[in-house]
Amino acid sequence: MLTVATRLEAMARLGKALADPTRCRILIALLEGPEYPARLAERLDLTRSNVSNHLACLRGCGLVVGVGEGRQTRYEIADRRLAHAIDDLLGVVLAVETGERCLNDGPGTDCP
């Protein structure tokens, strides 16, 4: 049974993963199916080391898993329900008012 603490931990991991635009781009790319870091780097116009670092973070957060294939590792979203949830999030329309600050923004800074 999931406790409140477990659910809070899961939300914190999701928040950490989704807080970075590059990690979001990687997750969106992985919605199309499993991929290798070098191909992700090429598709997203990023360096291999940058992609590898972000994949390590996503793996640490529990959002992606690496499947060893010989000398290479193929990455995929860890759970089909998570892929479905990310896909659903992409369809959400946020009701953001112009000039409203995000919760963690400092004084005088607006959400992009």
Side-chain angles (χ1 to χ4, degrees):
M1 181 169 155
L2 292 175
T3 65
V4 171
T6 305
R7 289 179 180 196
L8 287 174
E9 173 70 19
M11 291 298 292
R13 287 173 180 268
L14 281 168
K16 179 180 178 181
L18 298 177
D20 183 89
T22 300
R23 288 193 292 271
C24 289
R25 291 177 61 208
I26 291 170
L27 287 169
I28 291 168
L30 291 176
L31 285 175
E32 297 174 21
E35 193 61 88
Y36 299 96
R39 298 226 11 222
L40 280 170
E42 185 178 301
R43 282 177 58 191
L44 301 175
D45 196 28
L46 300 167
T47 65
R48 287 183 186 188
S49 63
N50 190 348
V51 169
S52 292
N53 288 337
H54 285 290
L55 285 170
C57 178
L58 290 169
R59 201 174 52 242
C61 289
L63 276 68
V64 302
V65 293
V67 178
E69 294 181 345
R71 295 174 61 187
Q72 292 187 326
T73 302
R74 178 178 46 90
Y75 287 88
E76 58 191 52
I77 294 178
D79 186 302
R80 64 177 171 74
R81 293 171 295 185
L82 177 59
H84 190 275
I86 292 168
D87 194 46
D88 284 348
L89 281 173
L90 292 172
V92 170
V93 177
L94 301 176
V96 178
E97 294 184 29
T98 304
E100 287 294 317
R101 291 190 311 224
C102 292
L103 180 62
N104 290 330
D105 285 346
T109 59
D110 295 327
C111 290

